[in-house]
Amino acid sequence: MSFPRATGILLHPTSLPSRGGIGDFGPAAYEFVDFLAAGRQGLWQVLPLGPPANGNSPYSSTSAFAGNPLLISMERLAERGWIEPLHLADLPGPAGAIDYESVHQRKLPLIVTAARTFLQTARGNARARFERFCHENLWWLDDFVVFDALRERAARRCWKEWPRPLACRETVAMETARQELAPEIDTRRVIQFFFYEQWHALRLYCAQRSIRVVGDIAIFVDHDSADVWAHRDLFRLRKNDFEAEAVAGVPPDAFSATGQRWGSPLYDWDAIKARGYDWWIDRLRWATQTCDYIRLDHFRGFEQFWEIPASEPTAIHGRWVDGPKDELFNKLRSALGGLPFFAEDLGHITPEVHALRERHQIPGTAVLQFGFSDPGAHVYLPHRLTPDRVVYTGTHDNDTTLGWWKSGTSSEERSAIQAYVGKSDDGIHWAFIRLAQESVASLSVVPLQDVLGLGSEARLNTPSVSEGNFRWRYAAGSLTRVLAEKLAALAAVTDRLPPHVLPPPSEDFVA
């Protein structure tokens, strides 16, 4: 799919300065959308929105379909009458980095209280919307809420450690669990309803301002997830203990000398093919209903993936194994009517991966920070780009451009960068923003940290580092009129202005 020429900002909702200690879908999100509109930005890119499984990474989730409860706005719940406004006074404030432990302890119980109030008091239109949501999303919601309630009862131990009848989803054990955990299961249904109703409202607000939302799909799913538990036959698991036969990751690269061992179980692509790729079709259909465009993380894995023996502590001793290749994308196009995707195809990419992407007209990705290390890296620079690209100054895995410039570049790189961009009185970050906007790439996306000119203190994620990631939030008051006017002028002169009108999100998607 070819994208209309546009520009936008990468900001995960957790990084909003919302009340409650973590960014959410409340007032700060709407203020950010207003800033995008004032800056004539046509895109808002987010990271995966699912509930985290291990750690704080959006790329490790307990569900490929459910939403993260911590993104629910307490102000919006109070406006609907599901919680008393006075309860919001004890929440953490909008400033500072995210303290996930504190947020879990102080915000999550209030969301549960609001869900219970809803179950006890909701009538009329609110009850009808909830029942419709449950009916239309039964195909994923039922598995998730039961899984999540069981996981909580098991002190968040992975399902493979549960009693075997529950791990195997035996009928009697499941019926007993549903009866015993009925209140908790019902509460979780309401929480998912809250999440998707708020997300749908925010998306509608974006569409009314000609802003498309760019979502993100991690290719693999976490072992500790409702998806693997409910569809064990689609993953390469041992029959006796449900441990993974092999796990996903990537070989050694610039980020890590030992590679990245993600630990996610690998797909049994033969089993998935035998079922007509139905789970993947459901997953990508859901993604296109919840966002406008989709970034496919680790696109290379669809052509070949790095198979690591489960017994290996690092990713060094893995091997490349063939993925589903064209057949999956043919099935997706037939089922979805199109492929509104672009590929994260960074790093060492083979000609076969490029060919797969090009055959299906899926744009690729370029990151300007990667373009100066050696002549081979020049493929990421504007003079080598083509319209079928999405260009970034940096991504959520990179240091900010200013932080990278100050501490992440060699003297040779700095000389090359200065020769390429020339003098930049407003900082290297704005030089890179202009390079991205001026390129012929169809989409240009800039992390908000670069727009704000922030250094390494604002880095969101450092791959292969387990602590301290995804905690950054921008300071309230940072989104100034001057910044918006500068972005708007650049969007206008680089022909990246959004259309005046976007169609609203499909009315078939109701949350």
Side-chain angles (χ1 to χ4, degrees):
M1 173 180 177
S2 60
F3 296 116
R5 188 169 172 83
T7 185
I9 291 178
L10 167 62
L11 178 77
H12 195 49
T14 57
S15 294
L16 291 159
S18 304
R19 192 173 183 177
I22 189 170
D24 60 33
F25 299 152
Y30 288 80
E31 291 169 5
F32 176 68
V33 174
D34 289 341
F35 173 76
L36 292 176
R40 305 301 300 275
Q41 303 296 288
L43 305 169
W44 177 10
Q45 182 173 336
V46 300
L47 306 183
L49 298 172
N54 297 296
N56 308 319
S57 172
Y59 294 90
S60 173
S61 179
T62 57
S63 173
F65 304 96
N68 183 354
L70 296 180
L71 294 176
I72 294 170
S73 164
M74 299 309 302
E75 289 97 332
R76 292 289 183 253
L77 295 184
E79 289 171 5
R80 292 291 182 97
W82 308 130
I83 194 163
E84 292 293 334
L86 60 89
H87 290 303
L88 277 57
D90 294 331
L91 285 171
I98 301 166
D99 181 341
Y100 281 96
E101 183 176 355
S102 174
V103 171
H104 276 280
Q105 291 175 353
R106 297 170 69 179
K107 181 174 181 178
L108 200 55
L110 294 181
I111 296 173
V112 171
T113 296
R116 290 171 177 166
T117 299
F118 180 94
L119 286 169
Q120 293 167 3
T121 65
R123 301 289 185 270
N125 185 46
R127 177 66 68 169
R129 294 197 317 272
F130 170 62
E131 291 177 353
R132 182 178 176 187
F133 170 78
C134 293
H135 173 72
E136 294 186 350
N137 298 291
L138 179 68
W139 56 275
W140 68 265
L141 183 62
D142 190 56
D143 284 330
F144 172 72
V145 294
V146 174
F147 169 85
D148 200 49
L150 285 168
R151 183 173 182 263
E152 187 69 24
R153 188 171 73 175
R156 299 187 180 182
R157 295 194 305 276
C158 183
W159 63 270
K160 64 187 178 182
E161 300 174 23
W162 298 351
R164 192 168 182 86
L166 288 173
C168 293
R169 295 167 56 90
E170 293 179 4
T171 301
V172 174
M174 290 293 290
E175 282 302 314
T176 300
R178 289 177 192 277
Q179 293 173 15
E180 294 174 348
L181 296 171
E184 291 87 346
I185 290 169
D186 289 341
T187 298
R188 283 163 170 79
R189 286 194 182 95
V190 176
I191 290 173
Q192 288 303 306
F193 169 69
F194 286 163
F195 177 94
Y196 278 108
E197 186 161 72
Q198 291 190 4
W199 177 241
H200 185 62
L202 185 56
R203 275 197 65 212
L204 180 60
Y205 193 80
C206 289
Q208 291 168 340
R209 286 147 186 80
S210 300
I211 296 165
R212 292 177 170 90
V213 176
V214 181
D216 196 340
I217 293 294
I219 181 174
F220 298 108
V221 295
D222 202 279
H223 199 147
D224 187 14
S225 69
D227 309 287
V228 179
W229 176 63
H231 303 283
R232 301 186 309 278
D233 57 314
L234 302 184
F235 297 86
R236 291 171 53 188
L237 306 177
R238 298 192 311 222
K239 302 296 184 183
N240 60 328
D241 59 4
F242 306 124
E243 293 285 353
E245 295 177 348
V247 297
V250 290
D253 57 16
F255 285 120
S256 173
T258 59
Q260 297 179 45
R261 185 189 185 279
W262 298 330
S264 305
L266 294 174
Y267 296 107
D268 185 337
W269 284 111
D270 289 337
I272 292 172
K273 177 180 179 179
R275 279 181 34 175
Y277 297 92
D278 60 343
W279 184 84
W280 268 98
I281 291 170
D282 287 342
R283 187 183 188 196
L284 272 298
R285 180 184 287 115
W286 180 250
T288 60
Q289 289 173 340
T290 53
C291 295
D292 299 296
Y293 301 153
I294 304 298
R295 173 187 179 269
L296 296 177
D297 188 48
H298 194 58
F299 182 81
R300 173 164 188 174
F302 294 110
E303 207 282 327
Q304 281 193 326
F305 54 87
W306 189 246
E307 177 189 276
I308 306 166
S311 59
E312 289 290 331
T314 73
I316 294 176
H317 300 296
R319 61 172 187 150
W320 290 111
V321 178
D322 285 347
K325 303 187 179 184
D326 293 271
E327 188 168 16
L328 171 62
F329 292 100
N330 290 334
K331 291 286 187 180
L332 288 170
R333 179 182 288 104
S334 177
L336 305 181
L339 302 177
F341 311 139
F342 64 91
E344 183 277 295
D345 58 345
L346 303 170
H348 178 65
I349 302 299
T350 65
E352 291 79 9
V353 178
H354 288 304
L356 175 66
R357 180 181 61 77
E358 291 167 0
R359 282 196 298 274
H360 296 280
Q361 298 182 311
I362 298 174
T365 300
V367 176
L368 295 183
Q369 287 186 22
F370 294 165
F372 298 96
S373 57
D374 58 61
H378 293 174
V379 293
Y380 294 123
L381 296 181
H383 69 280
R384 296 283 296 275
L385 298 185
T386 52
D388 65 336
R389 284 280 163 178
V390 179
V391 62
Y392 295 81
T393 54
T395 74
H396 66 279
D397 283 333
N398 298 113
D399 199 349
T400 68
T401 295
L402 186 60
W404 168 79
W405 170 254
K406 289 181 175 179
S407 61
T409 54
S410 64
S411 58
E412 291 81 5
E413 285 177 306
R414 291 171 71 89
S415 295
I417 293 165
Q418 289 173 328
Y420 197 86
V421 305
K423 187 178 180 181
S424 181
D425 293 333
D426 50 0
I428 190 66
H429 52 293
W430 274 105
F432 270 49
I433 291 171
R434 282 190 287 271
L435 284 181
Q437 308 285 63
E438 294 163 1
S439 76
V440 298
S442 58
L443 304 183
S444 167
V445 181
V446 179
L448 183 64
Q449 294 96 312
D450 287 353
V451 175
L452 299 178
L454 300 177
S456 298
E457 75 282 354
R459 182 169 186 164
L460 188 63
N461 181 51
T462 303
S464 298
V465 174
S466 59
E467 300 294 331
N469 290 322
F470 301 102
R471 298 182 66 238
W472 175 76
R473 292 195 293 167
Y474 72 86
S478 298
L479 308 181
T480 65
R481 179 177 58 82
V482 172
L483 268 182
E485 290 175 349
K486 188 170 184 176
L487 287 170
L490 186 55
V493 77
T494 56
D495 300 317
R496 293 187 182 272
L497 292 180
H500 292 299
V501 178
L502 279 178
S506 171
E507 291 302 319
D508 292 333
F509 175 69
V510 176

